[in-house]
Amino acid sequence: MSALDWCVLAGTIGLIVLYGLWKTRGPTSMGEYVHGGYRDRWLTIGLAVMATQASAITFLSMPGQAYEDGLRFVQFYFGLPIAMVVLSVAFIPRFYRLRVLTAYELLETRFDLKTRQLAAFLFLLQRGLSAGVTIYAPAIVLSKVLGWSLNLTSVAIGAVVILYTVAGGTRAVNQTQKHQMVVMLGGMVVAFVVVVRRLPPDLSFGHAIAVARAFGKMNAVDLAPSLGSRYTLWSGLAGGCFLAMSYFGTDQSQVQRYLSGRSIAESRLGLLFNGLVKVPMQFLILFVGVMVFVFYQFNPPPLSFNEAALRRAAATSDAPRLEALDAQHRDAFERKRAAVQRYTAVLDRGGAAQVAAARADVAAAAAAGRVREEARVLIARSGPRADANDADYVFLSFVMANLPRGLVGLLLAVILCAAMSSTASELTALGGCTVVDFYRRSFRPSAPDAHYVRVAKLATGAWGVLAVLFAAFAGMVDNLIQAVNILGSLFYGTILGIFLAAFFAPRLRATPVFVAAILSELVVFGLWLATGIGFLWFNLIGCVAVLLLASALSASGRPARSGPGR
């Protein structure tokens, strides 16, 4: 990177972190540390909610996801606006009425301690693992730029996030996130403009979309009623809605974002703002990836975008075969580029038959040139932890090779801002939940508030260290954006089922719900391991299983009630 890029990167990150620490120095109570003291306006809430979900994985992995698979992933978010309306009506008033510090406190008032702590434990388990993945994603960036090892880079990023998160708590996170979100959105708009301008000058924007469509990349809506397909309209509306309800309604990293609002109205407006803006934002990020794909139909892509893994494989006995594959890859690219150029030439002046024939030639040239899969096999066997899947490196490689000086630093700042905002939210939620739902409730119920703040800071730091350790294993997954959402889908449906039972099933008792939640989690994991069901459906399956099993267990025996909801 140039000196200008380093200045832009360091200046953007440094100013945002220092501003957050200055605005939020010294939280003195658990209320201030966990949810910021009910001070934030709706725009701060909305941007913080978006920034919490928009981790570095979003900006690294989603363009690569679109490069490989087109726009299908946007269907994942189709149920989100519906979920925001449901949460605004049904969840927010209940949280505010009880003035809870964590979402799981509410479950004890309705059921009992074991149900509360089961839901809190499931949250800690899945969110603690996810935090490692969100640290690993930006480590890819800096390790590539600095030449550091991934593990060392993960430690450096984790240390910076832990510093300002432990110091300022939720309010520090909220105050930094609204600025980070502005940088992130602005950076992706800049990336879109740059990639479009880097396309051939004689290629119109409409023709670029036609090229993407010829390769099946404009597949934003899939109406196939298949449970085995990960991304369809139906899985997005049903499974995506349940996932969004559980994530935004029961995940403490999000609940504490909107519990920081000055009023119910401010929190509702913040969530509804997220529902309106989130889908267009995700579409833009995916569309950037599609345009990067079009760019590489006219400019030669590497055999693998993961250059470090390719170099390691080239140092093995497979080097001659990789050289042969690279030559085949270049030849296939030239044939494909010629086919694409013929296709774009006949789009305006050719008849329907000519266009169809040229499009068929494009498809044939693309099929003949699929040598990257064999290269991935060779890369995978070059070492025990070789990362053969290069989708997460596509956007980063494009940025480093094609953006002008200054803009490279800005795009790297976007990715690191996203990493910091999401990871900081996760760590404050993990630390706060550990203290409120376990330490204060079961071990030290009568300590001064200042003591709990100190313990929460220690717990936040400890979770940060664990997240860095988890990051060491994140490279073993194929695609980071899918890994995080699969991990969430394995737990979120069960947690949501517990909350829906608490809110809308007054006849259900604590022990049946507790047992049903455990059984439902076992069902979800069994289906995940034994079937090919798309992961979004696990959110619906887990939620419905809790409600049905709890109803059946409650109906099968009604012992005398020993307390609230038992």
Side-chain angles (χ1 to χ4, degrees):
M1 289 203 310
S2 68
L4 178 59
D5 289 315
W6 280 113
C7 289
V8 171
L9 174 61
T12 302
I13 299 298
L15 287 174
I16 289 175
V17 171
L18 290 175
Y19 173 81
L21 290 174
W22 175 71
K23 287 283 287 185
T24 59
R25 52 199 181 277
T28 57
S29 70
M30 280 301 291
E32 288 187 355
Y33 190 81
V34 174
H35 57 61
Y38 302 105
R39 301 179 190 174
D40 291 327
R41 302 299 297 268
W42 67 269
L43 184 59
T44 297
I45 294 168
L47 292 174
V49 166
M50 292 175 63
T52 295
Q53 190 182 24
S55 67
I57 298 169
T58 302
F59 298 95
L60 275 176
S61 193
M62 281 189 68
Q65 172 82 12
Y67 184 94
E68 297 284 348
D69 198 37
L71 296 176
R72 288 198 313 146
F73 191 75
V74 76
Q75 296 169 112
F76 173 86
Y77 298 96
F78 282 178
L80 187 143
I82 302 171
M84 295 302 97
V85 174
V86 174
L87 296 178
S88 296
V89 173
F91 281 54
I92 288 178
R94 287 176 167 87
F95 288 138
Y96 266 88
R97 186 164 59 245
L98 295 174
R99 288 285 175 168
V100 294
L101 291 180
T102 72
Y104 316 108
E105 283 186 278
L106 182 147
L107 296 177
E108 186 174 3
T109 67
R110 169 64 176 85
F111 294 128
D112 60 6
L113 177 61
K114 68 178 183 295
T115 308
R116 166 189 178 176
Q117 291 188 334
L118 173 63
F121 172 75
L122 292 176
F123 160 73
L124 291 175
L125 181 60
Q126 68 87 17
R127 184 50 60 193
L129 293 171
S130 297
V133 182
T134 58
I135 288 177
Y136 175 78
I140 294 174
V141 178
L142 281 188
S143 66
K144 183 180 178 69
V145 172
L146 300 175
W148 296 356
S149 73
L150 273 175
N151 289 343
L152 176 62
T153 311
S154 296
V155 170
I157 293 172
V160 172
V161 176
I162 290 169
L163 172 66
Y164 81 85
T165 303
V166 169
T170 288
R171 187 150 174 79
V173 175
N174 282 1
Q175 290 298 319
T176 54
Q177 279 181 327
K178 65 181 180 182
H179 300 288
Q180 288 166 333
M181 197 67 227
V182 170
V183 171
M184 286 186 265
L185 289 175
M188 290 312 295
V189 170
V190 169
F192 174 74
V193 172
V194 169
V195 68
V196 171
R197 290 179 63 86
R198 293 283 293 171
L199 295 175
D202 58 341
L203 183 75
S204 68
F205 186 65
H207 284 181
I209 292 177
V211 170
R213 185 177 292 112
F215 285 93
K217 304 300 181 181
M218 297 299 293
N219 50 347
V221 178
D222 183 356
L223 298 177
S226 171
L227 290 177
S229 180
R230 282 184 171 178
Y231 311 116
T232 67
L233 175 66
W234 318 114
S235 67
L237 288 175
C241 178
F242 276 80
L243 174 59
M245 276 200 295
S246 187
Y247 174 55
F248 291 98
T250 71
D251 188 304
Q252 180 61 18
S253 66
Q254 283 291 5
V255 172
Q256 69 184 16
R257 300 277 76 75
Y258 54 79
L259 284 187
S260 66
R262 296 183 179 184
S263 64
I264 291 177
E266 296 283 355
S267 294
R268 282 174 166 168
L269 285 172
L271 274 188
L272 293 175
F273 172 82
N274 175 60
L276 288 174
V277 177
K278 185 67 176 178
V279 177
M281 185 188 85
Q282 301 302 126
F283 180 88
L284 170 64
I285 297 170
L286 287 166
F287 196 62
V288 168
V290 170
M291 289 297 102
V292 170
F293 174 84
V294 174
F295 170 84
Y296 281 118
Q297 305 316 300
F298 298 92
N299 300 273
L303 183 62
S304 173
F305 287 97
N306 188 346
E307 297 173 3
L310 185 61
R311 285 195 299 269
R312 285 194 297 270
T316 68
S317 58
D318 290 320
R321 181 56 187 156
L322 281 171
E323 290 180 9
L325 287 176
D326 190 50
Q328 292 178 35
H329 181 61
R330 289 194 300 270
D331 291 342
F333 166 76
E334 293 298 337
R335 292 195 301 271
K336 183 173 62 172
R337 177 165 60 181
V340 170
Q341 289 172 336
R342 289 194 299 271
Y343 174 62
T344 57
V346 302
L347 280 175
D348 289 332
R349 60 177 182 272
Q354 287 179 295
V355 171
R359 183 166 178 167
D361 289 342
V362 169
R370 289 172 184 162
V371 296
R372 295 180 70 227
E373 290 301 323
E374 186 176 348
R376 286 174 177 170
V377 173
L378 298 181
I379 291 172
R381 72 187 192 192
S382 65
R385 293 193 56 202
D387 188 3
N389 193 306
D390 62 345
D392 295 323
Y393 296 83
V394 170
F395 183 59
L396 177 61
S397 295
F398 173 82
V399 167
M400 299 299 293
N402 295 283
L403 264 65
R405 288 187 300 174
L407 290 185
V408 172
L410 176 63
L411 265 295
L412 294 182
V414 167
I415 294 168
L416 291 178
C417 280
M420 287 165 30
S421 67
S422 182
T423 306
S425 298
E426 292 169 336
L427 296 184
T428 56
L430 290 165
C433 179
T434 300
V435 172
V436 173
D437 293 303
F438 292 95
Y439 180 77
R440 188 176 75 173
R441 178 62 183 84
S442 299
F443 298 99
R444 290 288 301 274
S446 303
D449 214 33
H451 171 76
Y452 295 129
V453 173
R454 289 195 299 271
V455 176
K457 290 183 176 183
L458 290 174
T460 299
W463 278 108
V465 173
L466 287 174
V468 171
L469 295 177
F470 292 152
F473 300 96
M476 300 171 68
V477 301
D478 287 339
N479 182 271
L480 295 178
I481 190 69
Q482 292 193 96
V484 167
N485 289 308
I486 290 171
L487 184 59
S489 295
L490 294 176
F491 294 95
Y492 278 142
T494 299
I495 300 174
L496 179 60
I498 297 173
F499 274 86
L500 292 184
F503 290 166
F504 303 114
R507 294 182 178 276
L508 293 183
R509 294 167 294 123
T511 298
V513 171
F514 178 83
V515 174
I518 295 175
L519 293 176
S520 298
E521 200 58 53
L522 293 175
V523 168
V524 168
F525 270 92
L527 291 173
W528 176 55
L529 294 171
T531 71
I533 295 175
F535 70 83
L536 279 177
W537 292 108
F538 292 136
N539 300 283
L540 176 59
I541 291 169
C543 179
V544 172
V546 170
L547 297 175
L548 292 180
L549 289 172
S551 298
L553 292 169
S554 293
S556 65
R558 296 182 178 276
R561 296 165 70 92
S562 58
R566 288 166 174 76

